[in-house]
Amino acid sequence: MNYEQAMEKLQKYGQTQLLRFYDELDDSQKAFLLDQIEAVDFGCINLEPIDFNKGHIEPMGAMKIAEIKERKEELKKVGLECIRAGKAAALLLAGGQGTRLGLDGPKGTLNVGITRELYIFECLINNLMDVVREADSWIELFIMTSDKNDEATRAFLKEHSYFGYDESHIHFFVQEMAPATDFEGKVYLEAKDHIALSPNGNGGWYKSMQTAGYEKLLDQMGIEWINIFAVDNVLQRIADPAFIGATILSGCEVGAKVISKVAPEEKVGVLCYRDGRPSIIEYSDLSEEMMYQKDENGDYAYNSGVILNYLFKTAALKRIADMNMPLHVAKKKIPYINDNGEYIKPDEINGNKYESLVLDMIEMMDGCMAFEVERGKEFAPIKNMHGVDSLDSAREMLKDNGITL
Ligand code: UTP
């Protein structure tokens, strides 16, 4: 793309400020900026609020822990067969920036150990290895990173010999980026020749997998199910045979691990039906009436909190891959250069990032199997250093589960 073409594209989107330092750049910087302008989709910048709370909402039941215990052998058998046939893969969503944690590096490189080293990535791989051993079969592990942390993630895992996971069963890919803007929707420059970009959320993972050419690999390997999971829940069970078995037997296109909320007010998204389709309602959209609504057993009706551990049917992913996902606006601190060309690292939130979220994929699926897990055994997310969902709380939970720190 040359300067005139770039200008034309930017005029169309009202973003010509991105070329304001162009004349000061050397040739390679100019080329870099023009390439970026060509690559970026400015159409994703939309400040019009989207009504994420549309439709008729109804509660969704879950397969409860008691039933899972009772049917454990039957469910596990189906799941283990699926794993041994190489039909189930795992996918680690590790493209986020972990801004709340404020770590200088990928979140998975955080050491949760106290008397020894024990990294987040290591905890996750240990958990997956339990299943690999039980099934006596490797599970293909995909790892999604972003431009911001790809190199560091690969280097860290390599340096630690993938914590014992067979490297030939690990497949990395990089997610897409989206422009970051001020509150008026004007895209920031991060440097005179660099547009401020940030990972485009965790909802674009299948598209990014396709872009990386992995769809073919999935077909060749006959992978029918993909268990996606967040990087920060150090206790979660991955490729859990009973969960896989329950989802397969349910006939649903997706399975979701859920926990019972500690209190109706707990700030987690809950599974529900929206106009008859499976959906997730975010805690901020849950009305007071729904929050305290009881079901026929006297339990809270909207009680199944999601923990970002889903099992998707590959065939369904292919069907929805080209469907548009809604973009959520996240208000964040975005480093930028001001009109004097000075680099500013803001202390306050100063703009928007645009993200698609996995939770919006649920609505595109035919049927969702909600599978309840024990919070104390499977939910220790590390979002912050201290307080709720933190390194401190996760350490306590790891200790409670007999893990030496
Ligand atoms: P979070 O919503 O907790 O975001 O991600 P985050 O980036 O890790 O942390 P904050 O909000 O900046 O503090 C949930 C999961 O989705 C992944 C994260 O890596 C984490 O596993 N994710 C998030 C991506 O893979 N890509 C993204 O663009 C965003």
Side-chain angles (χ1 to χ4, degrees):
M1 180 172 264
N2 62 29
Y3 177 85
E4 284 72 31
Q5 289 165 327
M7 187 53 107
E8 199 181 315
K9 180 173 179 183
L10 295 179
Q11 273 166 348
K12 184 172 156 207
Y13 293 105
Q15 302 289 355
T16 51
Q17 78 285 353
L18 295 176
L19 284 170
R20 68 192 190 280
F21 296 108
Y22 189 77
D23 291 340
E24 298 175 30
L25 306 178
D26 66 26
D27 286 350
S28 70
Q29 291 171 321
K30 282 179 178 165
F32 184 87
L33 182 59
L34 295 178
D35 282 352
Q36 267 201 326
I37 292 170
E38 182 171 14
V40 169
D41 171 17
F42 297 102
C44 73
I45 299 164
N46 184 1
L47 300 178
E48 291 298 311
I50 300 175
D51 181 9
F52 287 106
N53 200 17
K54 58 186 183 331
H56 176 63
I57 309 285
E58 285 171 295
M60 181 195 283
M63 186 185 271
K64 295 285 190 189
I65 290 167
E67 181 184 348
I68 295 167
K69 276 197 177 137
E70 217 167 273
R71 296 179 57 193
K72 196 168 170 198
E73 289 315 310
E74 171 205 357
L75 302 177
K76 272 184 80 168
K77 187 167 172 283
V78 175
L80 285 170
E81 271 167 19
C82 175
I83 292 167
R84 289 188 184 122
K87 292 181 183 170
L91 192 152
L92 167 59
L93 299 168
Q97 288 181 284
T99 44
R100 282 169 284 177
L101 201 59
L103 193 70
D104 205 19
K107 223 184 204 184
T109 63
L110 180 73
N111 181 14
V112 297
I114 298 170
T115 60
R116 63 174 183 132
E117 287 174 13
L118 178 67
Y119 299 96
I120 289 186
F121 280 140
E122 188 175 5
C123 294
L124 299 174
I125 288 180
N126 287 346
N127 296 351
L128 183 56
M129 279 300 292
D130 287 345
V131 183
V132 167
R133 268 186 232 105
E134 185 176 12
D136 193 21
S137 168
W138 286 102
I139 295 165
E140 299 308 313
L141 171 61
F142 292 87
I143 301 180
M144 182 171 87
T145 62
S146 76
D147 280 348
K148 302 267 181 197
N149 65 18
D150 183 61
E151 239 173 80
T153 301
R154 287 177 198 245
F156 181 85
L157 286 170
K158 193 173 168 67
E159 190 191 325
H160 290 88
S161 308
Y162 305 93
F163 297 107
Y165 214 80
D166 183 337
E167 189 187 347
S168 67
H169 295 283
I170 299 184
H171 317 273
F172 290 93
F173 65 100
V174 182
Q175 74 172 92
E176 260 95 302
M177 305 287 276
T181 73
D182 64 16
F183 293 126
E184 272 71 55
K186 296 282 179 200
V187 176
Y188 278 119
L189 277 174
E190 190 176 86
K192 289 181 179 176
D193 63 338
H194 264 71
I195 297 177
L197 298 174
S198 64
N200 67 346
N202 56 26
W205 64 270
Y206 191 68
K207 201 110 205 116
S208 302
M209 242 184 142
Q210 279 184 322
T211 308
Y214 281 142
E215 197 168 64
K216 216 168 145 203
L217 189 74
L218 296 177
D219 288 344
Q220 281 166 356
M221 290 181 158
I223 291 170
E224 294 179 7
W225 295 93
I226 306 178
N227 182 195
I228 65 159
F229 59 100
V231 70
D232 45 39
N233 178 6
V234 284
L235 272 185
Q236 67 192 315
R237 309 307 302 167
I238 304 154
D240 173 349
F243 175 46
I244 295 175
T247 306
I248 293 174
L249 291 172
S250 73
C252 295
E253 287 186 334
V254 67
K257 284 202 164 184
V258 297
I259 46 168
S260 284
K261 294 202 287 189
V262 268
E265 305 83 15
E266 189 182 359
K267 293 180 175 177
V268 286
V270 291
L271 271 175
C272 63
Y273 286 111
R274 194 186 297 269
D275 293 334
R277 298 197 64 78
S279 185
I280 291 166
I281 180 161
E282 295 211 65
Y283 69 88
S284 48
D285 292 331
L286 201 64
S287 67
E288 192 136 313
E289 192 192 333
M290 286 154 78
M291 206 179 273
Y292 298 106
Q293 192 179 318
K294 299 265 179 91
D295 64 16
E296 61 283 1
N297 303 322
D299 298 324
Y300 288 111
Y302 294 95
N303 203 35
S304 296
V306 286
I307 61 168
L308 224 183
N309 188 311
Y310 301 104
L311 183 71
F312 283 95
K313 193 171 192 163
T314 316
L317 292 167
K318 287 184 182 181
R319 192 190 66 234
I320 66 158
D322 291 326
M323 284 161 82
N324 277 337
M325 304 247 323
L327 284 171
H328 297 244
V329 174
K331 303 212 176 304
K332 301 262 173 158
K333 293 179 201 164
I334 302 160
Y336 68 102
I337 53 164
N338 64 17
D339 285 340
N340 299 325
E342 295 151 350
Y343 184 74
I344 312 283
K345 221 173 165 200
D347 295 325
E348 302 291 332
I349 286 169
N350 65 330
N352 298 334
K353 290 183 177 178
Y354 302 84
E355 300 184 331
S356 61
L357 302 181
V358 162
L359 57 89
D360 289 313
M361 294 170 81
I362 302 300
E363 215 164 307
M364 300 172 170
M365 297 288 122
D366 279 339
C368 176
M369 143 66 63
F371 182 91
E372 191 192 1
V373 297
E374 273 180 60
R375 170 189 291 267
K377 290 195 176 153
E378 283 215 38
F379 191 52
I382 302 179
K383 301 286 182 193
N384 307 291
M385 278 298 183
H386 309 289
V388 179
D389 294 343
S390 67
L391 175 61
D392 296 344
S393 57
R395 277 181 170 156
E396 288 309 313
M397 293 182 70
L398 283 165
K399 281 193 231 161
D400 290 347
N401 280 276
I403 294 166
T404 309
L405 293 181

